[in-house]
Amino acid sequence: MSAPLYIQIKQFILDKMNSGEWMVGHRIATEFELTEQFGVSRMTVNKAIRDLVNEGKLQRRPRLGTFVCDPAEKSESPLLDIRNIADEISNRGHTHHSEVLKQIALKADESIAITLGVMLGKTIFYSEIIHYEDNVPIQLELRWVNSQYAPSYLTQDFTSMTPNQYLSNNCPLSAIEHTVEAIIPDGRVKQDLKMQANEPCLLLNRRTWSQDKLVSTALLYHPGNKYKLSSKILL
């Protein structure tokens, strides 16, 4: 019994990659070309390519095509630690820059008041920032900060310093809480991170304490095919 057509197309692409004919950085055949070659529907070809994108073997670039990518180059962050994303990117030999979308004061609604441990209606600080690695968006950071512990948060230039760096300098970290989810991102997240339809997304929900003070809570969105989280536990 032969494999489903999309599996056959997927294996064809993998064979081209494994043989070295389609090396890292190579633009593979278009969906139209594969449709003609295999005599199948565009949906079948799209399924094969989408699977390989989700596995981190291919990368779609808007208006340019689909390219073979190197899984070893997938960006990585430690799950059980907090590091400045700018330093992570620099340590990989790449360039970091950020785009500040919002940096404002808000009144805490019920959800944020509970999450941040403040009174309902208390003034808090909020920021939205896109972090880039070599001009590729790698993280969308939504952060709520207790204004009592970081009173100058709104005056900082977060294009030259990350919120993580500022908060670490002013509120030394004593504890963190992490949860990680694989999600289907909404249209806004897809647009900010330049993600394709059906591309996976990793959401890291993080809260940080300095001594016994809950300083900030953040939602960190990452394109799943460009990012991974890791941990190391010594036994």
Side-chain angles (χ1 to χ4, degrees), residues 90-161:
S90 177
N91 290 341
R92 291 194 286 267
H94 299 164
T95 301
H96 168 269
H97 78 272
S98 59
E99 177 185 358
V100 179
L101 305 179
K102 286 186 181 179
Q103 193 172 348
I104 59 176
L106 294 175
K107 297 295 184 182
D109 60 20
E110 183 176 2
S111 175
I112 293 301
I114 293 172
T115 303
L116 198 52
V118 300
M119 295 291 291
L120 182 66
K122 176 182 171 64
T123 297
I124 60 168
F125 299 146
Y126 174 70
S127 58
E128 295 182 1
I129 299 173
I130 304 175
H131 296 279
Y132 293 81
E133 181 168 355
D134 290 344
N135 297 315
V136 175
I138 200 70
Q139 183 189 91
L140 172 62
E141 172 188 344
L142 311 183
R143 186 181 295 272
W144 296 261
V145 177
N146 189 323
S147 57
Q148 179 180 350
Y149 306 134
S152 59
Y153 188 83
L154 295 186
T155 65
Q156 303 306 306
D157 178 6
F158 289 132
T159 62
S160 60
M161 175 194 302

Side-chain angles (χ1 to χ4, degrees), residues 22-218:
W22 289 356
M23 302 181 70
V24 172
H26 178 85
R27 186 178 69 179
I28 72 167
T30 67
E31 288 190 10
F32 177 77
E33 290 169 340
L34 291 170
T35 296
E36 291 287 302
Q37 180 176 345
F38 286 89
V40 297
S41 70
R42 185 79 171 266
M43 184 180 300
T44 299
V45 172
N46 183 268
K47 165 65 174 168
I49 292 176
R50 188 169 70 245
D51 279 5
L52 291 171
V53 168
N54 292 345
E55 292 169 13
K57 295 180 172 64
L58 296 177
Q59 181 182 25
R60 282 188 166 118
R61 300 178 189 171
R63 297 181 296 277
L64 295 177
T66 303
F67 295 79
V68 178
C69 60
D70 184 355
E73 293 182 354
K74 202 171 191 180
S75 302
E76 179 176 353
S77 285
L79 181 57
L80 301 181
D81 195 5
I82 291 184
R83 296 179 189 168
N84 183 5
I85 190 169
D87 292 339
E88 289 181 16
I89 291 171
S90 177
N91 290 341
R92 291 194 286 267
H94 299 164
T95 301
H96 168 269
H97 78 272
S98 59
E99 177 185 358
V100 179
L101 305 179
K102 286 186 181 179
Q103 193 172 348
I104 59 176
L106 294 175
K107 297 295 184 182
D109 60 20
E110 183 176 2
S111 175
I112 293 301
I114 293 172
T115 303
L116 198 52
V118 300
M119 295 291 291
L120 182 66
K122 176 182 171 64
T123 297
I124 60 168
F125 299 146
Y126 174 70
S127 58
E128 295 182 1
I129 299 173
I130 304 175
H131 296 279
Y132 293 81
E133 181 168 355
D134 290 344
N135 297 315
V136 175
I138 200 70
Q139 183 189 91
L140 172 62
E141 172 188 344
L142 311 183
R143 186 181 295 272
W144 296 261
V145 177
N146 189 323
S147 57
Q148 179 180 350
Y149 306 134
S152 59
Y153 188 83
L154 295 186
T155 65
Q156 303 306 306
D157 178 6
F158 289 132
T159 62
S160 60
M161 175 194 302
T162 65
N164 172 276
Q165 183 180 351
Y166 166 73
L167 292 173
S168 296
N169 290 342
N170 290 273
C171 306
L173 179 70
S174 63
I176 61 175
E177 176 186 271
H178 278 157
T179 61
V180 181
E181 299 177 77
I183 66 166
I184 299 174
D186 62 24
R188 176 270 168 90
V189 172
K190 289 180 184 177
Q191 180 178 349
D192 286 344
L193 293 177
K194 295 182 170 58
M195 298 174 63
Q196 298 293 316
N198 301 315
E199 187 175 341
C201 182
L202 285 178
L203 170 58
L204 176 61
N205 191 327
R206 172 184 291 166
R207 295 201 295 174
T208 57
W209 283 260
S210 181
Q211 298 179 4
D212 60 346
K213 305 177 181 69
L214 178 51
V215 175
S216 79
T217 182

